[in-house]
Amino acid sequence: MAILIYNCTAVRMDEAGTVLPHAYVLVEGSKIVSVGDQRPQGFTGRQIDGKGNVLLPGLVNCHTHVPMTAMRGYGDGHDLQDWLHHYIFPVEARWDERAIRCCTALGLAEMIATGTTCIADMYMFTDAVAQEVVSAGLSANLSCGGVLFDPVFDPKTCHDCVAQEALAQRWHGYGDGQIRFDASIHAEYTSRSELWKWTADFAKANGLGMHVHISETRKEHAECIQRHGKTPVQTLDRYGVWDVRGIAAHCVYTTAEDWAILAAKGVSAVHNPCSNLKLGSGIAPVPAMKAAGVNVCLGTDGVSSNNNHDMFEEMKLAAILHNGAACDPLALGSWDALRMATVNGAAALGRKTGRIEPGYDADLILVDFSHLNLFPCHDPVSNLVYAAHGGDVCMNMARGRVIYKDGDFLTIDLEQVKREVANYAVPLLFGTK
Amino acid sequence: MAILIYNCTAVRMDEAGTVLPHAYVLVEGSKIVSVGDQRPQGFTGRQIDGKGNVLLPGLVNCHTHVPMTAMRGYGDGHDLQDWLHHYIFPVEARWDERAIRCCTALGLAEMIATGTTCIADMYMFTDAVAQEVVSAGLSANLSCGGVLFDPVFDPKTCHDCVAQEALAQRWHGYGDGQIRFDASIHAEYTSRSELWKWTADFAKANGLGMHVHISETRKEHAECIQRHGKTPVQTLDRYGVWDVRGIAAHCVYTTAEDWAILAAKGVSAVHNPCSNLKLGSGIAPVPAMKAAGVNVCLGTDGVSSNNNHDMFEEMKLAAILHNGAACDPLALGSWDALRMATVNGAAALGRKTGRIEPGYDADLILVDFSHLNLFPCHDPVSNLVYAAHGGDVCMNMARGRVIYKDGDFLTIDLEQVKREVANYAVPLLFGTK
């Protein structure tokens, strides 16, 4: 079915930085087919009036753990180790598939309502997560974060290897690319070289990307250097982990040598400013990574360390944090942040999204510029990045399908999901059941 | 008229940190008269059902320049001096009273919709600002930021002295305390000791508070030390500026000696994290000021350096920024941020607001916890600070009067204000008229 979005200002996110007033964007199937300032002749299909709105590519959340939406605000106010060991891990031990399903749907609904159309998720119960993503309608690169604590490693019996092989088989490329399966290593400190080598080879052999937590905390970074004589980026590089399209989440303590590797190998750094600040991890060197040629994108991380899925918040924080940290008002700006959340995210995930261009996925959102916090408007991109929040999104189209409009979810039965979270998942996870 | 708010969870902001489920809060006139978990016997007045909502004291924005709402996003992406001299100052030279009125009303509407009930504003055309505040219904400490560039100082002819005397006469205590007039010095670097001495004496003689920009940038702080041999806090202290209840905005570069003065004299530091980050000013030493006994509160600053008036954003940023800057997940937490935005702000402004207690101003907001970003809720305060944004506010009661409910403004004709801003103020200010 064709859909015409008209009467809006389109921030195209092309190389030229085009902001097109009175835009007409035509979508057919899952793709954008034309963009212009004239009504396509003879068009008779469905139309969406974007009056007073700004049209933007859907936002790309490059690092998250969606089911953790169940744990929003649980155990915060404790230090990281206490939080993980006494709050998060005991809850995570109680997951079942039914709980994962509703908590994933809840997190996806929040993402959809705040303008995200594409995510990179790393968690457990990946089949259930994939099914919920397919049903919700957005696009996802899914991974399950391989760990290796067992002293013996045999890929034929290693649970994470077996699981990744089966998941790649079932999900990679599913739904005309709606789902991609990324190989993954949870982190250097939760695995060993045998798994790194295996995962690198597995990704290469199957044309998969790679998703790894990298240098999130000073401790983790320093201990890796103690163990291996090199930083996490460099340690994993020895085993070919970065020989495929990769996403390195956090990169707070990465070095100039690390950035050279990431840039040379086309590995993207995912900046998660809310999570890194809240957990006291630190401030990632985003302007320096950018200057070194690293593709830097954005993520919310799980909401238990954020505590929401609002990519507009991440954009604003990314745009202002580094100015303050460096005492340089020009360290990063609104366009940098918007690129991180769109085109850079698309590149990180190997997807043709993040731009309003013919041939790109029809991942499009409308932002309601009649809202008070977006008025007056001297510069739409400034307002989007510094003044907007996710609640200003009034339409979300993912892969050509309108999945959210004016508060209504068209692919998720939200009341049913909330009941299931309240009556099943929360009691199960928090031991009150 | 009496109003009963019931069926909500009240975060009382008392010393004990009480979170009262199933609260009944009774308001008469402009005051809270009772708080409890039982319906007041025989009550027959107006009732507000807070079902699914959290009741919170209205937020206190302790440093702002409301009319600058007109300049949202204007000239950002330029360095501070360029921004001020080529964008902000030329616009500010074009203000007239009519433009100030509608731009003030616009900014107040945004504040009201995002849960603010009380502000400390510093700007020009203070009579017009005061009239708009009175009409909108919230409470304000207003000031007009005295400057002294003239080589000759005579308080009888100095424009800012004459203006402050007249404004204090007209506005201090107006509307049973709805308006307070604060004496003010714009900043050390825009004035001289004659004005400091005069303003300090003027404040003392008239029982006024004091509002000053302090050590916002490294340059300003260092140049004051060069000029006077002391920091701005210490320099002004010599002239008695801190001998009254005072609010020191920014305090980014203040020192341990400064904090000792602020703490001893009961002067409050206003943290403006969004503005300080965006302009590249730096990160104020909030945990250290707090540890030194300084009352730290929160402000948005003008939206031209923010770029919105959402105090929920300031709370979240205050709660997470210092953890990341210090690599300490416990540097500040959700309760710290919520206190900064309520009780601490009330103390800073010398007002009996910021708590849900009998005898306090009936400044109360309801936050809709049925919103997706606030579900599930393991801890209301965590969700308020880390997951909410201003758009989650569904009711604003200021001084006992409901001024906003479910998207409707009851004291501001928003469409008329927006038309006036678009058709009169913006063309006037930005030279297109």
Side-chain angles (χ1 to χ4, degrees):
Chain A
M1 192 181 73
I3 303 178
L4 179 68
I5 305 171
Y6 71 105
N7 209 11
C8 55
T9 298
V11 179
R12 298 186 57 172
M13 300 312 296
D14 54 4
E15 298 291 345
T18 307
V19 176
L20 182 68
H22 313 297
Y24 292 85
V25 176
L26 184 62
V27 168
E28 278 180 25
S30 66
K31 299 287 178 188
I32 297 166
V33 294
S34 78
V35 183
D37 58 2
Q38 301 290 323
R39 171 174 288 274
Q41 284 197 329
F43 178 78
T44 55
R46 180 177 172 194
Q47 302 190 28
I48 295 174
D49 185 349
K51 188 179 178 192
N53 298 335
V54 169
L55 186 71
L56 196 67
L59 305 178
V60 184
N61 184 344
C62 289
H63 182 65
T64 182
H65 313 287
V66 182
M68 293 181 85
T69 307
M71 300 160 207
R72 191 195 307 277
Y74 182 66
D76 59 32
H78 297 273
D79 71 36
L80 188 63
Q81 291 307 314
D82 193 17
W83 177 70
L84 280 174
H85 289 281
H86 296 113
Y87 292 86
I88 299 303
F89 292 159
V91 167
E92 289 192 325
R94 297 190 200 109
W95 278 119
D96 68 11
E97 192 187 308
R98 182 174 164 191
I100 285 277
R101 280 185 172 277
C102 60
C103 294
T104 300
L106 179 69
L108 294 175
E110 188 189 355
M111 290 173 159
I112 290 168
T114 54
T116 294
T117 54
C118 189
I119 66 172
D121 196 76
M122 185 196 285
Y123 210 60
M124 306 175 274
F125 292 87
T126 307
D127 283 306
V129 172
Q131 285 157 10
E132 292 299 321
V133 170
V134 167
S135 156
L138 25 62
S139 303
N141 286 30
L142 300 179
S143 61
C144 54
V147 299
L148 177 58
F149 294 109
D150 201 322
V152 181
F153 176 75
D154 177 354
K156 292 198 176 58
T157 56
C158 168
H159 170 269
D160 286 356
C161 298
V162 172
Q164 292 202 54
E165 283 180 324
L167 288 163
Q169 198 78 25
R170 272 199 291 281
W171 291 109
H172 187 58
Y174 184 94
D176 198 22
Q178 180 180 3
I179 305 293
R180 296 179 67 106
F181 184 75
D182 284 348
S184 67
I185 295 157
H186 172 266
E188 173 275 332
Y189 62 96
T190 50
S191 53
R192 295 196 313 274
S193 61
E194 302 97 296
L195 184 68
W196 306 338
K197 176 79 172 63
W198 180 87
T199 310
D201 292 344
F202 165 66
K204 269 177 268 187
N206 293 278
L208 307 178
M210 180 70 68
H211 192 163
V212 190
H213 288 101
I214 287 289
S215 300
E216 179 175 1
T217 65
R218 184 178 286 148
K219 178 168 180 285
E220 157 205 344
H221 185 79
E223 287 179 353
C224 175
I225 294 172
Q226 276 194 323
R227 266 191 296 271
H228 299 286
K230 297 266 188 191
T231 66
V233 165
Q234 293 163 42
T235 300
L236 296 182
D237 187 46
R238 284 191 206 162
Y239 298 90
V241 168
W242 307 127
D243 293 350
V244 295
R245 176 191 55 72
I247 44 183
H250 301 297
C251 294
V252 178
Y253 292 94
T254 49
T255 65
E257 293 75 23
D258 294 343
W259 309 333
I261 292 170
L262 299 178
K265 300 221 164 178
V267 175
S268 301
V270 190
H271 183 36
N272 300 272
C274 277
S275 174
N276 293 161
L277 290 179
K278 180 166 188 281
L279 294 178
S281 301
I283 298 174
V286 171
M289 289 197 282
K290 179 172 168 267
V294 179
N295 181 56
V296 185
C297 50
L298 279 178
T300 56
D301 209 354
V303 294
S304 50
S305 61
N306 186 309
N307 297 344
N308 65 40
H309 276 131
D310 188 344
M311 283 287 288
F312 283 88
E313 261 189 38
E314 303 297 328
M315 281 201 286
K316 177 167 184 175
L317 195 43
I320 68 175
L321 175 61
H322 305 282
N323 297 4
C327 292
D328 173 5
L330 306 181
L332 287 181
S334 53
W335 277 99
D336 295 312
L338 195 55
R339 279 190 208 103
M340 288 164 75
T342 56
V343 284
N344 295 11
L349 271 49
R351 289 181 173 276
K352 208 160 175 183
T353 184
R355 293 187 188 216
I356 306 182
E357 290 284 1
Y360 276 67
D361 287 347
D363 293 338
L364 297 164
I365 62 174
L366 285 169
V367 180
D368 188 344
F369 268 57
S370 76
H371 286 189
L372 260 180
N373 51 314
L374 303 179
F375 177 82
C377 176
H378 301 292
D379 173 351
V381 171
S382 169
N383 277 14
L384 284 167
V385 172
Y386 297 121
H389 57 70
D392 298 318
V393 171
C394 59
M395 192 282 294
N396 185 323
M397 170 189 279
R399 306 179 74 80
R401 182 156 66 134
V402 176
I403 59 176
Y404 176 81
K405 193 151 194 321
D406 302 326
D408 291 331
F409 293 86
L410 305 173
T411 54
I412 294 175
D413 181 344
L414 189 63
E415 290 314 310
Q416 164 61 16
V417 165
K418 288 178 78 172
R419 273 196 302 274
E420 181 79 351
V421 170
N423 299 334
Y424 183 78
V426 167
L428 174 77
L429 292 168
F430 299 93
T432 54
K433 192 184 175 76
Chain B
M1 191 181 74
I3 302 178
L4 179 68
I5 305 171
Y6 71 104
N7 209 11
C8 54
T9 298
V11 179
R12 297 184 59 172
M13 301 311 298
D14 54 4
E15 298 291 344
T18 306
V19 176
L20 182 69
H22 313 298
Y24 292 84
V25 176
L26 185 62
V27 169
E28 278 180 25
S30 65
K31 300 287 179 189
I32 297 166
V33 293
S34 77
V35 183
D37 58 1
Q38 302 290 324
R39 171 174 289 273
Q41 284 196 330
F43 178 79
T44 56
R46 178 177 173 195
Q47 302 191 26
I48 295 174
D49 184 350
K51 189 181 177 191
N53 299 335
V54 168
L55 185 72
L56 197 66
L59 304 178
V60 184
N61 184 343
C62 289
H63 182 66
T64 182
H65 313 289
V66 181
M68 292 181 87
T69 308
M71 301 161 205
R72 190 195 306 278
Y74 181 66
D76 59 31
H78 296 274
D79 71 36
L80 187 62
Q81 291 308 315
D82 194 17
W83 177 71
L84 279 175
H85 289 280
H86 296 114
Y87 291 86
I88 299 303
F89 292 159
V91 167
E92 290 191 325
R94 299 191 199 106
W95 279 119
D96 70 10
E97 191 186 310
R98 181 174 164 190
I100 285 277
R101 279 185 171 278
C102 59
C103 294
T104 301
L106 180 69
L108 294 175
E110 188 190 354
M111 290 172 159
I112 290 168
T114 54
T116 294
T117 53
C118 189
I119 66 172
D121 196 76
M122 184 195 285
Y123 210 61
M124 305 175 273
F125 292 87
T126 307
D127 283 307
V129 173
Q131 284 157 11
E132 291 300 321
V133 170
V134 167
S135 156
L138 25 63
S139 303
N141 286 32
L142 299 179
S143 61
C144 54
V147 300
L148 176 59
F149 295 109
D150 200 323
V152 181
F153 176 75
D154 176 352
K156 292 198 177 58
T157 57
C158 168
H159 171 270
D160 286 357
C161 298
V162 173
Q164 292 201 56
E165 282 179 325
L167 288 164
Q169 199 78 26
R170 274 200 289 281
W171 291 108
H172 186 59
Y174 184 94
D176 197 21
Q178 180 180 2
I179 305 292
R180 297 179 67 105
F181 184 74
D182 283 349
S184 67
I185 296 158
H186 171 266
E188 173 276 332
Y189 62 96
T190 50
S191 53
R192 294 196 315 274
S193 60
E194 302 97 298
L195 184 67
W196 307 336
K197 176 79 173 64
W198 180 88
T199 311
D201 292 344
F202 165 66
K204 269 176 269 187
N206 292 278
L208 308 178
M210 181 69 68
H211 193 163
V212 190
H213 287 102
I214 287 289
S215 300
E216 179 175 1
T217 66
R218 183 179 286 147
K219 178 168 180 287
E220 156 205 346
H221 185 79
E223 286 178 356
C224 176
I225 294 172
Q226 276 194 323
R227 266 191 297 272
H228 300 286
K230 296 266 187 192
T231 66
V233 165
Q234 294 163 42
T235 300
L236 296 182
D237 187 46
R238 285 192 205 161
Y239 297 90
V241 168
W242 308 127
D243 294 350
V244 296
R245 175 192 56 72
I247 45 184
H250 301 296
C251 294
V252 179
Y253 292 94
T254 48
T255 64
E257 292 75 23
D258 294 343
W259 310 332
I261 293 170
L262 299 178
K265 301 222 164 177
V267 175
S268 301
V270 189
H271 183 35
N272 300 272
C274 277
S275 174
N276 293 161
L277 291 178
K278 180 166 187 282
L279 294 178
S281 302
I283 298 174
V286 172
M289 289 197 281
K290 180 173 167 267
V294 180
N295 181 55
V296 184
C297 50
L298 278 177
T300 57
D301 208 354
V303 293
S304 50
S305 62
N306 186 309
N307 294 347
N308 65 41
H309 277 130
D310 187 345
M311 283 287 288
F312 283 88
E313 261 189 38
E314 302 298 328
M315 281 202 285
K316 177 167 183 174
L317 195 42
I320 68 175
L321 174 61
H322 305 282
N323 296 5
C327 292
D328 173 5
L330 306 182
L332 287 181
S334 53
W335 278 99
D336 295 312
L338 196 55
R339 279 190 208 103
M340 288 163 75
T342 55
V343 283
N344 295 11
L349 270 51
R351 288 181 173 277
K352 208 161 174 182
T353 183
R355 294 188 188 216
I356 306 181
E357 290 284 0
Y360 276 67
D361 286 348
D363 293 337
L364 297 164
I365 62 174
L366 284 169
V367 180
D368 188 343
F369 268 57
S370 76
H371 286 188
L372 260 180
N373 51 314
L374 304 178
F375 177 81
C377 176
H378 300 292
D379 173 351
V381 171
S382 169
N383 277 14
L384 285 166
V385 172
Y386 298 119
H389 56 70
D392 298 317
V393 172
C394 58
M395 192 281 295
N396 185 322
M397 170 188 280
R399 305 179 74 80
R401 181 156 65 134
V402 176
I403 59 176
Y404 176 80
K405 191 151 196 323
D406 302 327
D408 292 332
F409 292 87
L410 306 174
T411 54
I412 294 175
D413 181 344
L414 189 63
E415 290 312 311
Q416 164 62 15
V417 166
K418 288 178 78 172
R419 272 196 303 275
E420 180 80 350
V421 170
N423 300 334
Y424 183 78
V426 167
L428 174 77
L429 292 168
F430 299 93
T432 55
K433 193 183 175 77

Short mmCIF file of all heavy atoms in Angstrom, two decimals, chain A residues 29-55:
data_model
loop_
_atom_site.label_atom_id
_atom_site.label_comp_id
_atom_site.label_asym_id
_atom_site.label_seq_id
_atom_site.Cartn_x
_atom_site.Cartn_y
_atom_site.Cartn_z
N GLY A 29 5.15 0.00 0.12
CA GLY A 29 5.66 -1.17 0.84
C GLY A 29 6.49 -0.70 2.01
O GLY A 29 6.07 0.18 2.77
N SER A 30 7.70 -1.22 2.15
CA SER A 30 8.54 -0.86 3.30
C SER A 30 9.55 0.23 2.97
O SER A 30 10.40 0.54 3.80
CB SER A 30 9.26 -2.10 3.82
OG SER A 30 10.18 -2.56 2.83
N LYS A 31 9.44 0.82 1.77
CA LYS A 31 10.49 1.76 1.33
C LYS A 31 9.94 3.16 1.03
O LYS A 31 8.78 3.32 0.62
CB LYS A 31 11.14 1.24 0.04
CG LYS A 31 11.83 -0.11 0.19
CD LYS A 31 13.12 -0.01 0.98
CE LYS A 31 13.76 -1.39 1.14
NZ LYS A 31 14.91 -1.35 2.06
N ILE A 32 10.81 4.14 1.17
CA ILE A 32 10.54 5.48 0.67
C ILE A 32 10.78 5.44 -0.84
O ILE A 32 11.82 4.93 -1.29
CB ILE A 32 11.49 6.50 1.33
CG1 ILE A 32 11.24 6.56 2.85
CG2 ILE A 32 11.33 7.90 0.70
CD1 ILE A 32 12.32 7.28 3.64
N VAL A 33 9.82 5.95 -1.62
CA VAL A 33 10.03 5.91 -3.07
C VAL A 33 10.25 7.30 -3.67
O VAL A 33 10.88 7.42 -4.72
CB VAL A 33 8.90 5.17 -3.83
CG1 VAL A 33 8.92 3.69 -3.47
CG2 VAL A 33 7.54 5.77 -3.54
N SER A 34 9.72 8.35 -3.03
CA SER A 34 10.05 9.68 -3.55
C SER A 34 9.96 10.73 -2.46
O SER A 34 9.21 10.58 -1.48
CB SER A 34 9.14 10.06 -4.73
OG SER A 34 7.87 10.48 -4.26
N VAL A 35 10.75 11.77 -2.61
CA VAL A 35 10.78 12.89 -1.67
C VAL A 35 10.84 14.16 -2.50
O VAL A 35 11.70 14.28 -3.38
CB VAL A 35 12.05 12.82 -0.78
CG1 VAL A 35 12.03 13.96 0.24
CG2 VAL A 35 12.18 11.48 -0.08
N GLY A 36 9.94 15.10 -2.25
CA GLY A 36 9.99 16.32 -3.03
C GLY A 36 9.12 17.40 -2.43
O GLY A 36 8.55 17.23 -1.34
N ASP A 37 9.03 18.52 -3.13
CA ASP A 37 8.20 19.61 -2.64
C ASP A 37 6.95 19.79 -3.51
O ASP A 37 6.29 20.83 -3.47
CB ASP A 37 9.00 20.92 -2.53
CG ASP A 37 9.60 21.32 -3.86
OD1 ASP A 37 9.37 20.61 -4.87
OD2 ASP A 37 10.32 22.34 -3.89
N GLN A 38 6.66 18.77 -4.31
CA GLN A 38 5.45 18.79 -5.13
C GLN A 38 4.67 17.50 -4.88
O GLN A 38 5.27 16.44 -4.70
CB GLN A 38 5.81 18.82 -6.63
CG GLN A 38 6.67 20.01 -7.04
CD GLN A 38 5.90 21.32 -6.99
OE1 GLN A 38 4.72 21.35 -7.32
NE2 GLN A 38 6.56 22.39 -6.57
N ARG A 39 3.37 17.62 -4.90
CA ARG A 39 2.51 16.43 -4.75
C ARG A 39 2.75 15.48 -5.93
O ARG A 39 2.73 15.93 -7.08
CB ARG A 39 1.05 16.87 -4.70
CG ARG A 39 0.02 15.75 -4.75
CD ARG A 39 -1.37 16.29 -4.55
NE ARG A 39 -1.55 16.70 -3.16
CZ ARG A 39 -1.94 15.86 -2.19
NH1 ARG A 39 -2.21 14.60 -2.46
NH2 ARG A 39 -2.07 16.30 -0.95
N PRO A 40 3.01 14.19 -5.66
CA PRO A 40 3.20 13.25 -6.77
C PRO A 40 1.92 13.20 -7.60
O PRO A 40 0.83 13.04 -7.06
CB PRO A 40 3.44 11.90 -6.08
CG PRO A 40 3.79 12.23 -4.67
CD PRO A 40 3.12 13.53 -4.35
N GLN A 41 2.07 13.35 -8.90
CA GLN A 41 0.90 13.43 -9.78
C GLN A 41 0.09 12.14 -9.74
O GLN A 41 0.65 11.04 -9.79
CB GLN A 41 1.35 13.70 -11.21
CG GLN A 41 1.76 15.17 -11.39
CD GLN A 41 1.83 15.57 -12.85
OE1 GLN A 41 2.14 14.73 -13.69
NE2 GLN A 41 1.53 16.83 -13.14
N GLY A 42 -1.21 12.33 -9.66
CA GLY A 42 -2.11 11.18 -9.75
C GLY A 42 -2.17 10.29 -8.53
O GLY A 42 -2.78 9.23 -8.57
N PHE A 43 -1.54 10.70 -7.41
CA PHE A 43 -1.55 9.85 -6.22
C PHE A 43 -2.95 9.78 -5.62
O PHE A 43 -3.60 10.79 -5.41
CB PHE A 43 -0.56 10.36 -5.17
CG PHE A 43 -0.58 9.54 -3.92
CD1 PHE A 43 0.08 8.31 -3.89
CD2 PHE A 43 -1.31 9.93 -2.81
CE1 PHE A 43 0.04 7.52 -2.75
CE2 PHE A 43 -1.36 9.14 -1.67
CZ PHE A 43 -0.68 7.93 -1.65
N THR A 44 -3.39 8.57 -5.32
CA THR A 44 -4.76 8.41 -4.80
C THR A 44 -4.82 7.56 -3.53
O THR A 44 -5.90 7.24 -3.05
CB THR A 44 -5.66 7.72 -5.85
OG1 THR A 44 -5.04 6.48 -6.22
CG2 THR A 44 -5.85 8.58 -7.08
N GLY A 45 -3.65 7.17 -2.98
CA GLY A 45 -3.66 6.28 -1.81
C GLY A 45 -3.89 7.02 -0.50
O GLY A 45 -4.41 8.14 -0.47
N ARG A 46 -3.47 6.36 0.57
CA ARG A 46 -3.65 6.91 1.91
C ARG A 46 -2.73 8.12 2.11
O ARG A 46 -1.59 8.12 1.65
CB ARG A 46 -3.29 5.82 2.93
CG ARG A 46 -3.42 6.27 4.36
CD ARG A 46 -3.12 5.14 5.32
NE ARG A 46 -3.07 5.67 6.68
CZ ARG A 46 -2.57 5.01 7.71
NH1 ARG A 46 -2.08 3.79 7.54
NH2 ARG A 46 -2.55 5.57 8.90
N GLN A 47 -3.23 9.12 2.81
CA GLN A 47 -2.43 10.32 3.04
C GLN A 47 -2.34 10.62 4.54
O GLN A 47 -3.31 10.40 5.27
CB GLN A 47 -3.08 11.51 2.34
CG GLN A 47 -3.24 11.29 0.84
CD GLN A 47 -3.66 12.55 0.11
OE1 GLN A 47 -3.35 13.65 0.55
NE2 GLN A 47 -4.33 12.40 -1.01
N ILE A 48 -1.20 11.11 4.95
CA ILE A 48 -1.03 11.55 6.33
C ILE A 48 -0.68 13.03 6.30
O ILE A 48 0.36 13.42 5.74
CB ILE A 48 0.07 10.74 7.05
CG1 ILE A 48 -0.33 9.27 7.18
CG2 ILE A 48 0.36 11.34 8.43
CD1 ILE A 48 0.76 8.37 7.73
N ASP A 49 -1.55 13.84 6.89
CA ASP A 49 -1.32 15.28 6.93
C ASP A 49 -0.36 15.60 8.09
O ASP A 49 -0.70 15.38 9.24
CB ASP A 49 -2.67 16.00 7.13
CG ASP A 49 -2.53 17.52 7.07
OD1 ASP A 49 -1.38 18.02 7.06
OD2 ASP A 49 -3.57 18.20 7.02
N GLY A 50 0.81 16.09 7.73
CA GLY A 50 1.81 16.40 8.76
C GLY A 50 1.81 17.85 9.18
O GLY A 50 2.84 18.38 9.60
N LYS A 51 0.66 18.48 9.11
CA LYS A 51 0.55 19.93 9.36
C LYS A 51 1.16 20.33 10.72
O LYS A 51 0.78 19.78 11.76
CB LYS A 51 -0.92 20.35 9.34
CG LYS A 51 -1.07 21.84 9.40
CD LYS A 51 -2.53 22.26 9.35
CE LYS A 51 -2.60 23.78 9.49
NZ LYS A 51 -3.96 24.23 9.72
N GLY A 52 2.06 21.27 10.68
CA GLY A 52 2.68 21.75 11.91
C GLY A 52 3.72 20.81 12.48
O GLY A 52 4.26 21.04 13.56
N ASN A 53 4.00 19.74 11.75
CA ASN A 53 4.93 18.72 12.26
C ASN A 53 6.25 18.72 11.50
O ASN A 53 6.33 19.21 10.38
CB ASN A 53 4.30 17.33 12.14
CG ASN A 53 3.02 17.20 12.96
OD1 ASN A 53 2.85 17.91 13.94
ND2 ASN A 53 2.15 16.31 12.56
N VAL A 54 7.24 18.16 12.14
CA VAL A 54 8.52 17.92 11.48
C VAL A 54 8.67 16.42 11.26
O VAL A 54 8.43 15.62 12.17
CB VAL A 54 9.69 18.50 12.32
CG1 VAL A 54 11.03 18.01 11.78
CG2 VAL A 54 9.64 20.03 12.32
N LEU A 55 9.04 16.06 10.04
CA LEU A 55 9.25 14.65 9.68
C LEU A 55 10.74 14.36 9.79
O LEU A 55 11.58 15.09 9.25
CB LEU A 55 8.77 14.40 8.25
CG LEU A 55 8.80 12.94 7.79
CD1 LEU A 55 7.72 12.12 8.48
CD2 LEU A 55 8.64 12.85 6.27
#
